[in-house]
Every structure is written in structure tokens, then in C-alpha cells.
């Protein structure tokens, strides 16, 4: 990739960093977590629908952050929330976590550290990296995102986890402090995400935005985020398409 940087129509500034929502946008959390749950269930002779369990575990993600976003709870890392949510879903499934080795459950919760990228993610990110700063803008903590990148070969330039900002999206400071750490104006930072709600919050703080289509993030019957719902700077079919559009300076689905 070479040439003039992409100029954001919404911010009026040249984009210098393209940052990515990670769970669902860069990596396929559902397959990875379901596989880890299935392996654990098989070892312990548990009758569990691993895919449904993965969905319920992920469904606890936002509710578990709500108390922190509201100020009712002090910040804790996503690793802690994932571990707490695992116990919650086990009990919901009729399984008492106190009857299971806590170390093994800790290891199961670490499945979130080793998720597999979508096929286009690494080549697309590598192409974008040639011209732009790239990194995650994720609710994941730094160690989680670092483990994920090392395991999956994700070529980030920088990792600024939520434990550095001590804010979870969609808190405006999650976006603004990340730009500040990079020494950039918010309008020079683009958030690329498969979730319109994330993009709405980023846009409201002055970031450039790109929608990435992930039509099976939640499985074959997904109904949300199948199309952009806002006037984002770019709408792309995947990350390699985003790279091409950044290169061409074009917008809209191809």
C-alpha cells in the first residue's frame, strides 16, 4: 500500500491509525470458545451444548461491564469478567463450578486469549500496516490481546488494552484516551468494527469509522449488524476490502 493517506469525510482529517474492534471483527470468538467448551465437557463427561454455552458466555459480556460503566463497580479486567461469567453460565447450565478444579476453569477462561482470526484478517491487516498504524481498540486487557496476537500472528504495531485506559467501550474515554496515547487527534484515528453500536460511539467522539461485515459472527442465523446503520466513512465486506478501499480512497460496498 502506498500513496496519499485516506482522508475521512466525517472528520476532514487524514487517517493515520486504523484501530480494530477485536472480538468478532478480527477473530472468530464463537468457534474458538465453543471448541474449548466442547473439549472441557468431553474431558469431564458433561452433557453441554457447546455452541449454546459459548453464546450464553458471550451474552454475559456487556451486562458484566454495565456496573463498571455506570460507576457502581471499580474497573476490573476483562479476564476477571470472563472468569466470573464462566461460573455464572456453568451454574445457569446446572453445573456447580465449586465441584470443578479452579485451575482447569481458569484455563478454560483463557480460551479467550487464543482465538483464531477470520481468514481475511491477517492479510488485510498486513496490507493496512504498510501505510497506517494498526492496533486493537478493544475491551480486552493488554495481556489477553498480546497472547491473542502472538498465537494468531496478528501483526499489530501497538496494543493499548482497556486496562491501560481503565475504561470500557462505549465510554467516550475508551476512544479518546487511546488516541491520546498515540499522540493523535481523534479525527486521525479510524475505528474499524463489525458492530454498529461501537461505531456510533466512536463517531460521537470524533473518530473516523469503518464498518466490517461479519455476517456469521453469531452463527448462521445472525440478525444484527448485517449492514451499516450509519454514514460511516467506509463500509467493507472484510478487512482485505477495507485495505483496498483505504488504498483507493473510495467508500461504500464494492
Amino acid at each position: 500500500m502506498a500513496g496519499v493517506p485516506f482522508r475521512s469525510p466525517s472528520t476532514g482529517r487524514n487517517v493515520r491509525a486504523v484501530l480494530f474492534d477485536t472480538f468478532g471483527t478480527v477473530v472468530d470468538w464463537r468457534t474458538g470458545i465453543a471448541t474449548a467448551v466442547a473439549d472441557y465437557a468431553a474431558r469431564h463427561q458433561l452433557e453441554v451444548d457447546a455452541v449454546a454455552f459459548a453464546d450464553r458466555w458471550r451474552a454475559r459480556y456487556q451486562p458484566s461491564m454495565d456496573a463498571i460503566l455506570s460507576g457502581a463497580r471499580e474497573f476490573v479486567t476483562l479476564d476477571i469478567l470472563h472468569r466470573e461469567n464462566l461460573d455464572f453460565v456453568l451454574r445457569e447450565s446446572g453445573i456447580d463450578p465449586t465441584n470443578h478444579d479452579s485451575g482447569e476453569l481458569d484455563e478454560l477462561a483463557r480460551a479467550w486469549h487464543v482465538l483464531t482470526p477470520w481468514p481475511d484478517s491477517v492479510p488485510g491487516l498486513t496490507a493496512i500496516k504498510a501505510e497506517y498504524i494498526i492496533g486493537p481498540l478493544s475491551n480486552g486487557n493488554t495481556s489477553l490481546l498480546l497472547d491473542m496476537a502472538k498465537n494468531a500472528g496478528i501483526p499489530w504495531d501497538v496494543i493499548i488494552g482497556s486496562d491501560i485506559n481503565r475504561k470500557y467501550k462505549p465510554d467516550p474515554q475508551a476512544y479518546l484516551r487511546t488516541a491520546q496515547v498515540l499522540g493523535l487527534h481523534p479525527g486521525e484515528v479510524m475505528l474499524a468494527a463489525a458492530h454498529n453500536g461501537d461505531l456510533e460511539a466512536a463517531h460521537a467522539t470524533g473518530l473516523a469509522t469503518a464498518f466490517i461485515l461479519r455476517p456469521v459472527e453469531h452463527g448462521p442465523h445472525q440478525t444484527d449488524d448485517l449492514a451499516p446503520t450509519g454514514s460511516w466513512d467506509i463500509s467493507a465486506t472484510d478487512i482485505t476490502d477495507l485495505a483496498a478501499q483505504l488504498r483507493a480512497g473510495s467508500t461504500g460496498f464494492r
Side-chain angles (χ1 to χ4, degrees):
M1 183 183 296
V4 178
F6 180 86
R7 189 169 184 83
S8 163
S10 65
T11 72
R13 291 178 176 265
N14 289 341
V15 171
R16 295 179 58 191
V18 184
L19 307 182
F20 291 79
D21 169 70
T22 304
F23 299 107
T25 300
V26 175
V27 297
D28 175 7
W29 62 265
R30 191 171 190 255
T31 301
I33 296 304
T35 299
V37 170
D39 290 346
Y40 184 88
R43 290 198 310 273
H44 294 274
Q45 299 181 320
L46 300 174
E47 292 188 8
V48 172
D49 182 331
V51 173
F53 191 101
D55 287 339
R56 293 199 302 275
W57 196 355
R58 177 64 173 177
R60 291 290 307 161
Y61 176 79
Q62 192 61 51
S64 69
M65 290 189 293
D66 284 345
I68 297 170
L69 287 163
S70 71
R73 181 181 185 182
E74 290 292 320
F75 180 89
V76 297
T77 66
L78 189 60
D79 273 342
I80 291 174
L81 296 180
H82 276 155
R83 184 63 178 83
E84 292 175 353
N85 293 341
L86 173 59
D87 281 356
F88 181 95
V89 179
L90 284 168
R91 292 190 179 97
E92 188 179 57
S93 303
I95 301 166
D96 185 350
T98 63
N99 292 332
H100 290 254
D101 181 80
S102 61
E104 286 193 66
L105 293 178
D106 291 345
E107 188 60 28
L108 176 56
R110 286 184 62 81
W112 293 95
H113 286 231
V114 291
L115 300 174
T116 300
W118 299 106
D120 58 274
S121 291
V122 171
L125 291 170
T126 301
I128 296 169
K129 179 185 173 78
E131 191 70 20
Y132 299 89
I133 299 164
I134 64 167
L137 206 172
S138 168
N139 285 329
N141 43 281
T142 303
S143 61
L144 184 161
L145 296 168
L146 178 59
D147 287 347
M148 184 188 296
K150 294 292 285 184
N151 177 72
I154 300 171
W156 301 132
D157 290 310
V158 62
I159 297 175
I160 303 169
S162 59
D163 52 320
I164 294 176
N165 294 327
R166 300 187 70 78
K167 295 291 182 181
Y168 282 123
K169 299 184 296 181
D171 188 303
Q173 291 302 316
Y175 307 94
L176 294 174
R177 289 183 184 177
T178 299
Q180 184 179 34
V181 169
L182 294 175
L184 298 176
H185 186 279
E188 296 175 317
V189 177
M190 172 177 279
L191 174 67
H195 312 118
N196 284 288
D198 198 357
L199 295 173
E200 289 168 8
H203 175 74
T205 62
L207 271 63
T209 51
F211 176 77
I212 307 294
L213 178 63
R214 295 300 187 198
V216 294
E217 176 193 351
H218 297 279
H221 304 297
Q222 180 171 320
T223 58
D224 294 332
D225 293 318
L226 297 177
T229 59
S231 298
W232 316 134
D233 293 306
I234 292 177
S235 294
T237 54
D238 59 22
I239 297 178
T240 53
D241 183 40
L242 174 61
Q245 293 197 47
L246 287 168
R247 183 186 305 116
S250 61
T251 58
F253 281 110
R254 294 182 169 200

